[in-house]
Amino acid sequence: MENLSSYILIAMFAAIAIWLFLGYFRTRGIIYKDRMWNAHRILFLAAGVLCLVSVFVFSSVLDWVRLGLMFVCVIGFLLVRDGVGEEGIAITGRMYKWSDIKAYDYGDFRKDQYRIYIQTNQGDNLNVTMPNEQKKEVLDFVKAKIGKKYTRMKKG
């Protein structure tokens, strides 16, 4: 039973790692990126450090493979970024092309951040949080790409 659970976890972490790295390669061309360090990324970094520390506790090859894949998943998560690029808006490893966006809005989120809210043609309501340092430049870029689709939306 112990080996079966290790094989299941290895398959699961391998699938997650592949999915995360595919998301990274799909969204590599973003120009304006979100903030690198937020609570989610710090928690995943802590999980990666704990993975490395726990290598000294386990001794079987299956445990090492599982821990290695867990660490690769952490790296994949840290590489996936949200942002705005030539092709569209990237959110959690998925690129939403400008032609797929039905409407957009923006608003202040925190003192040093703002959000761009988008609604896709499929009805998804999404947002990307960006730092204020490039707010004017990013919004001018978005307006140039899809300016006629600006709509006031309920933010949440």
Side-chain angles (χ1 to χ4, degrees):
M1 186 66 178
E2 182 179 318
N3 286 341
L4 178 64
S5 63
S6 288
Y7 288 130
I8 291 171
L9 288 172
I10 286 170
M12 183 181 72
F13 284 119
I16 292 170
I18 290 169
W19 178 71
L20 286 169
F21 277 96
L22 284 175
Y24 167 72
F25 287 115
R26 275 189 297 240
T27 61
R28 266 192 316 188
I30 57 177
I31 301 168
Y32 305 105
K33 298 178 181 177
D34 66 339
R35 299 190 84 164
M36 178 60 186
W37 295 111
N38 57 25
H40 298 101
R41 293 187 197 280
I42 292 170
L43 286 173
F44 265 82
L45 181 64
V49 170
L50 291 174
C51 278
L52 289 177
V53 170
S54 63
V55 166
F56 300 110
V57 177
F58 296 107
S59 60
S60 79
V61 174
L62 289 176
D63 291 333
W64 288 1
V65 170
R66 184 183 71 242
L67 288 172
L69 285 171
M70 287 171 64
F71 191 68
V72 168
C73 287
V74 168
I75 291 170
F77 181 79
L78 292 176
L79 288 175
V80 172
R81 301 284 299 272
D82 296 346
V84 177
E86 280 293 328
E87 297 178 27
I89 295 179
I91 299 174
T92 59
R94 181 169 178 197
M95 183 65 79
Y96 294 90
K97 297 194 182 305
W98 297 118
S99 60
D100 295 335
I101 296 175
K102 179 179 176 182
Y104 78 98
D105 193 7
Y106 59 91
D108 292 331
F109 177 59
R110 293 193 178 132
K111 66 177 183 164
D112 60 343
Q113 297 174 345
Y114 69 99
R115 280 191 172 161
I116 299 174
Y117 302 90
I118 63 168
Q119 183 179 26
T120 65
N121 292 331
Q122 293 80 21
D124 298 329
N125 292 317
L126 307 163
N127 65 65
V128 59
T129 304
M130 304 285 285
N132 271 343
E133 291 86 34
Q134 299 175 329
K135 182 177 181 178
K136 182 175 176 5
E137 188 177 345
V138 172
L139 292 178
D140 289 343
F141 183 80
V142 170
K143 287 175 188 175
K145 292 291 185 181
I146 56 171
K148 295 180 181 175
K149 296 180 182 180
Y150 178 76
T151 306
R152 295 302 292 170
M153 288 189 226
K154 181 178 177 184
K155 298 164 180 78

